[in-house]
Amino acid sequence: MGKHIEILRKEISKYLNNDNIYFHYKGRVSLYAILKAMGVGSGDEVIIPAYTCVVVPNPIIYLGARPVYVEISEKTLTMDIEQLEKKISSKTKVIICQNTYGLSGNIEEIISLAKKYNLFTIEDCTHGFGGLYKGRPNGSYCDAAFYSMQWNKPFSSGVGGFMTVKNESLNEKISELEKEKTEPGFMTKLNLRLLFFTKRYLLNNTTYWIMVKTYRWLSKNNLVTGSSSGGEISDAIMPEGFFMNYSEVQAKEGCRNIKKLPELLRLRKSNALKYTEFLKNHNKRFVAEDLFENHSFLKYPLFVKDRELFFEHGRKHKIELGDWFNSPIHPVQDEFEKWFMIPEDFPVANEASKHVVNIPTDIKNAEKLLSFIEKYIDEII
Ligand SMILES: Cc1ncc(COP(=O)(O)O)c(C=O)c1O
């Protein structure tokens, strides 16, 4: 175990009150390890929200199982608890609940349903590290939880993932799997260093849009270490070298960034409150205050009429805006059947994926963003 990984483990465990932490190259790799340890395989079904990233159904399919989607609630954008029970079948093995944009919803109800049907539960905390659900850290309720340290996540190590395990019956299998991880090679680490350099010295308000576009193009074509390789978006086939370990290069970056997290969490919540106030005053759709307790606001979901037009205005005014999730299984735009998904069956998720823009919550000058929104408010929202 490298020095920085050990330091990072200690830092993370302070947030989670749990030092049973396993690191992987990305969050999706941690998810794969958890599913495998739970014995998920051919003929099994795994329930997931119909508003997620394609890298969530992917590991399920890699293991020969099938993702079963559940509609989301309009208010929370997390799984609609009313719809969940109907999706449980004799083949269901696991339910994955998700901290969408930092919000965890209905965790206790999901766990009690899982108990009733004798199912495993996993919490997808990739958006929610550092946040709480009913006073306890996100990830402390389910059998296991996984987290992401990709560069837009609560704290970043470029890319990276880790998992925690609560259900002790999984530990032996997880430890066995640890021995199967491959190590990141020289080129992978070089790529990561390049990514850190670019982010630190070249990314700013002026370069944001062009950098995002360039980065996405390069990663789609597998030319840089990106969020997802082209193959992960075009097919549900496990890429070569997928089951990879975390590295010291990543952990060093993670150690720098986790220190900023307490301040960032405060900033995110206070900006979110400003956004909610603003939208309420303009009679627009807003994130309700009763959700704030369980929301760490990695992003703030803003519903707009025409996303493309809004992005165009954003580019013109050099305003950072995010486009997750632009499809029920972001960023897939066609051939949904490869992931057993029929977008039309999930009207709420489908609608959200066409109209939500994620506005940043980690900015010092939220007023600038709000005056930009105000300028176009009736045309856009
Ligand atoms: C909801 C959700 N789950 C899982 C992941 C996977 O995290 P990672 O990129 O670290 O594999 C992401 C983001 O990529 C995500 O948005």
Side-chain angles (χ1 to χ4, degrees), residues 26-28 52-53 55-56 98 124 126-127 148 153 160 325:
K26 290 182 180 178
R28 67 200 73 179
T52 188
C53 181
V55 302
V56 174
Q98 176 178 295
D124 178 341
T126 51
H127 298 189
S148 174
K153 296 300 187 318
F325 297 125

Side-chain angles (χ1 to χ4, degrees), residues 187-231:
M187 282 311 286
T188 304
K189 291 190 217 162
L190 184 69
N191 241 314
L192 284 166
R193 288 200 170 94
L194 210 68
L195 192 72
F196 301 149
F197 178 86
T198 310
K199 176 117 204 300
R200 207 164 295 141
Y201 300 110
L202 305 179
L203 189 69
N204 54 47
N205 269 355
T206 316
T207 59
Y208 173 79
W209 284 99
I210 184 76
M211 294 292 271
V212 167
K213 262 192 163 165
T214 313
Y215 174 72
R216 284 193 179 162
W217 186 87
L218 289 169
S219 65
K220 196 169 159 208
N221 290 286
N222 303 328
L223 296 169
V224 293
T225 301
S227 307
S228 297
S229 63

Side-chain angles (χ1 to χ4, degrees), residues 162-173:
F162 58 93
M163 59 191 248
T164 52
V165 184
K166 188 165 157 237
N167 181 334
E168 288 176 3
S169 73
L170 300 170
N171 278 333
E172 194 182 327
K173 185 74 185 138

